[in-house]
Amino acid sequence: MNDLIKRINHVAIVVPDFDASMSFWRDALGLDLAHTEEVPSQEVEVAFFPTGDSEIELIRPTNESSGVAKYLAKRGAGMHHIALEVTDIHAMLDRLKAHNVRLINPEPVPAAGGKLAAFIHPESANGVLVELYQV
Amino acid sequence: MNDLIKRINHVAIVVPDFDASMSFWRDALGLDLAHTEEVPSQEVEVAFFPTGDSEIELIRPTNESSGVAKYLAKRGAGMHHIALEVTDIHAMLDRLKAHNVRLINPEPVPAAGGKLAAFIHPESANGVLVELYQV
């Protein structure tokens, strides 16, 4: 055991558009829509629903050429990734490298709001795209 | 907003076997393996890793004919469902019916340890298999 992982920061779901999605997540389930935000660097818009000490995050591509747009075209809507909030992303990446885990980002990349993020390759994580996220 | 949803109880990941999976989730990431449990009614074995106030749950089929075994054969390992812990599963199901959400279980079914569960059809939830879970 280590103290590097604090919690599931969010579970991300890729969707084609927000209007149809809101009718389920917000209106039917009754989750609170905290805010939406465009992330130009990733060519997506995201919507956040706080749930306990995690969030459900909807992602929609803002054009047809982004990575997320291609994922959506190939696989359809559904779960996209799970983000684990870590206390020290550099220490966690060192640990994963020592275990020969395949990393999409061997070094952290800047995320929204000055946060740091790094993706683990699904090949090393039972087909799951795992994001490490340092707040 | 309502107070029916407390948190993400767990995110479930379907895997072919536990030994190979443990090397990532337990050994590399360093998550705590709380316990494993066989669920004969669903023909699976599950492994729980507490993470914040949620859990990451690995599911492996214990035979080749179960629903989970067929899912694994068709789609490969990956995220299987997200479980939302609710305070009143009957009230939530009534609410979803009023919103014409398609339900796999229109009434709660017994889950392990006397809990109640009901699955929402992915068709109504952006391709995501959502479990309602009352502890």
Side-chain angles (χ1 to χ4, degrees):
Chain A
M1 173 56 181
N2 63 52
D3 296 320
L4 289 174
I5 296 178
K6 290 178 70 174
R7 57 179 166 182
I8 298 173
N9 183 280
H10 60 266
V11 178
I13 296 161
V14 60
V15 304
D17 70 273
F18 279 172
D19 286 348
S21 301
M22 290 300 163
S23 70
F24 175 69
W25 301 96
R26 183 190 60 194
D27 303 337
L29 278 180
L31 289 171
D32 251 335
L33 173 61
H35 72 288
T36 62
E37 183 181 335
E38 213 167 317
V39 187
S41 64
Q42 293 174 48
E43 302 166 277
V44 297
E45 187 181 12
V46 290
F48 295 96
F49 298 90
T51 311
D53 73 356
S54 300
E55 292 188 309
I56 290 173
E57 179 185 317
L58 302 184
I59 306 177
R60 72 163 191 87
T62 49
N63 62 37
E64 291 179 9
S65 57
S66 67
V68 170
K70 287 174 191 160
Y71 182 100
L72 182 64
K74 188 174 169 189
R75 301 206 184 197
M79 285 195 274
H80 183 263
H81 69 268
I82 177 170
L84 300 177
E85 191 174 319
V86 293
T87 51
D88 184 338
I89 197 167
H90 294 93
M92 178 57 90
L93 287 169
D94 286 347
R95 194 184 153 99
L96 295 176
K97 288 171 195 170
H99 281 85
N100 297 312
V101 169
R102 188 172 166 197
L103 301 169
I104 293 174
N105 305 115
E107 300 301 326
V109 294
K115 302 177 186 77
L116 293 174
F119 281 94
I120 299 169
H121 198 286
E123 193 182 86
S124 284
N126 292 127
V128 180
L129 180 59
V130 177
E131 181 180 18
L132 303 173
Y133 199 70
Q134 183 174 332
V135 175
Chain B
M1 175 56 183
N2 64 51
D3 295 321
L4 290 173
I5 297 178
K6 290 178 69 176
R7 57 180 165 182
I8 298 173
N9 182 281
H10 60 267
V11 178
I13 296 161
V14 59
V15 304
D17 70 273
F18 279 172
D19 285 347
S21 300
M22 291 299 165
S23 71
F24 175 69
W25 301 96
R26 184 191 59 194
D27 303 336
L29 277 180
L31 289 171
D32 251 335
L33 174 62
H35 72 289
T36 63
E37 183 181 336
E38 212 166 319
V39 187
S41 65
Q42 293 174 48
E43 303 165 277
V44 297
E45 187 180 12
V46 289
F48 296 96
F49 298 90
T51 311
D53 72 358
S54 302
E55 291 188 309
I56 290 173
E57 179 186 318
L58 302 185
I59 306 178
R60 71 165 191 89
T62 49
N63 62 37
E64 290 181 8
S65 58
S66 68
V68 170
K70 286 173 190 161
Y71 182 100
L72 182 65
K74 189 174 168 190
R75 301 204 185 199
M79 285 194 275
H80 183 262
H81 68 269
I82 176 170
L84 300 176
E85 191 174 320
V86 294
T87 52
D88 183 338
I89 197 168
H90 294 93
M92 178 56 90
L93 287 170
D94 286 347
R95 194 184 154 100
L96 296 176
K97 288 171 194 170
H99 281 85
N100 298 312
V101 169
R102 187 172 168 198
L103 301 169
I104 293 174
N105 305 114
E107 301 300 327
V109 294
K115 301 178 186 77
L116 293 174
F119 280 94
I120 299 170
H121 198 288
E123 193 182 85
S124 283
N126 293 127
V128 179
L129 180 59
V130 177
E131 179 179 20
L132 303 173
Y133 198 69
Q134 183 173 331
V135 175

